[in-house]
Amino acid sequence: MPECAGGPEVLRVQERPIPEPQPGQVLIRVQAAGINRHDINQRTRGHGPAGSTDILGLEVAGEVVAIGAGVDAALQGRKVAALTDGGGYADNALAEAALLLDWPEGLSAIEAAALPEALFTLQLNLVELGRLGTGDWLLIHGGTSGIGMAGIRFAALRGARTLVTAGTDAKCARATEHGAHSAINYRNADFVAAVKDITGGHGTDMILDTVGGQYAARNIEALAPDGRLVHLSPAPPEFCVPLGALMAKRARVSGALLRALPLSRKTALAEAIRADVWPHVSTTLRPVIDRVFPLEDAAEAHRHMDSGTHMGKIVLSTG
């Protein structure tokens, strides 16, 4: 947990009582926990949403070792992956039973823990909000992040073609190896011009923006008419969307905070993932793992994410 707001050095290992599952919850003995940008943001702020645990970690894989009232007894002892409301960087973590996903056969704990947050985020933003469909062009900024690499394969399941931006030629090569149609090095190329060239002047039908506002105007330029722009990070105050350009494109701009969704919405996302996405995780959607750190080295794992050099998912292991 972070002792206060700050850099990775504020993360400390602490002894805490094992939490007890409340009605509708399970307790998971954690084998691995994924690291997400939200964890970095919570660390730098020094706190999470009101009422949430101060322990970081939004996704885990492990074994159900206790169940709360109203939970199916058959879940006891089951190996699962789960979206959590924080608390994943621990030996034991609570999760809502409605948000459990069966541990896929053939995947390690590290791989299983790398999936829930990305898939819930993509289901919400690409499908529910963005209506990504067959033949669409999708542009992902930050294409070799954990969410970017998952997004490439997720989009392919929807029949879409993915373009990505990344900051090095090596990252661009990794993204295309993973299935991106094209990758644009934003440090030495104009991504708007590149998108127009690759799509034959059409533009991209949808943009998944993980960088938070610095491309506010340029994203609208890159969009096709009737395009959709979905933000995963908030924009600083100095950035604004050019409304005239947005109106001329008939563009739709949206975004959502996954953690803040009510449980009923998350449950609906979980049901859709189980039906349409989860059957593909051992094959098409198998996660790309960048590095694995022991739980006690969470600070070093955060330093690695802060460096921006990773390609794929960073995961903590408890064993």
Side-chain angles (χ1 to χ4, degrees), residues 68-270:
V71 175
D72 185 353
L75 288 175
Q76 183 76 37
R78 186 173 296 181
K79 296 177 71 175
V80 297
L83 186 74
T84 71
D85 187 27
Y89 292 15
D91 292 324
N92 297 276
L94 295 174
E96 298 291 337
L99 305 184
L100 299 182
L101 301 166
D102 283 332
W103 188 326
E105 185 177 351
L107 261 64
S108 67
I110 299 300
E111 292 172 307
L115 288 165
E117 199 276 342
L119 295 185
F120 274 80
T121 297
L122 293 168
Q123 184 70 28
L124 172 63
N125 289 282
L126 294 189
V127 180
E128 187 171 309
L129 298 178
R131 305 297 182 191
L132 186 69
T134 301
D136 280 350
W137 288 101
L138 168 67
L139 172 64
I140 301 176
H141 291 306
T144 54
S145 65
I147 194 72
M149 296 293 260
I152 291 169
R153 292 292 180 86
F154 190 101
L157 282 180
R158 305 282 302 174
R161 298 162 290 182
T162 305
L163 313 172
V164 306
T165 61
T168 69
D169 289 341
K171 287 186 174 184
C172 288
R174 186 69 185 91
T176 54
E177 289 168 4
H178 191 58
H181 181 279
S182 296
I184 304 156
N185 186 336
Y186 63 83
R187 298 186 189 278
N188 56 30
D190 180 334
F191 81 83
V192 175
V195 165
K196 294 292 183 66
D197 181 60
I198 294 165
T199 63
H202 174 74
T204 184
D205 299 289
M206 185 176 173
I207 298 174
L208 190 68
D209 190 346
T210 66
V211 300
Q214 68 187 74
Y215 295 147
R218 307 235 65 210
N219 278 337
I220 304 302
E221 292 181 53
L223 276 180
D226 300 300
R228 292 89 71 200
L229 170 57
V230 178
H231 285 280
L232 295 187
S233 297
E238 63 268 24
F239 295 106
C240 62
V241 174
L243 293 180
L246 186 150
M247 294 167 68
K249 287 284 180 74
R250 302 181 301 278
R252 285 168 282 166
V253 180
S254 61
L257 296 173
L258 176 64
R259 190 173 183 182
L261 286 182
L263 179 58
S264 59
R265 289 284 300 278
K266 291 180 183 178
T267 299
L269 291 173

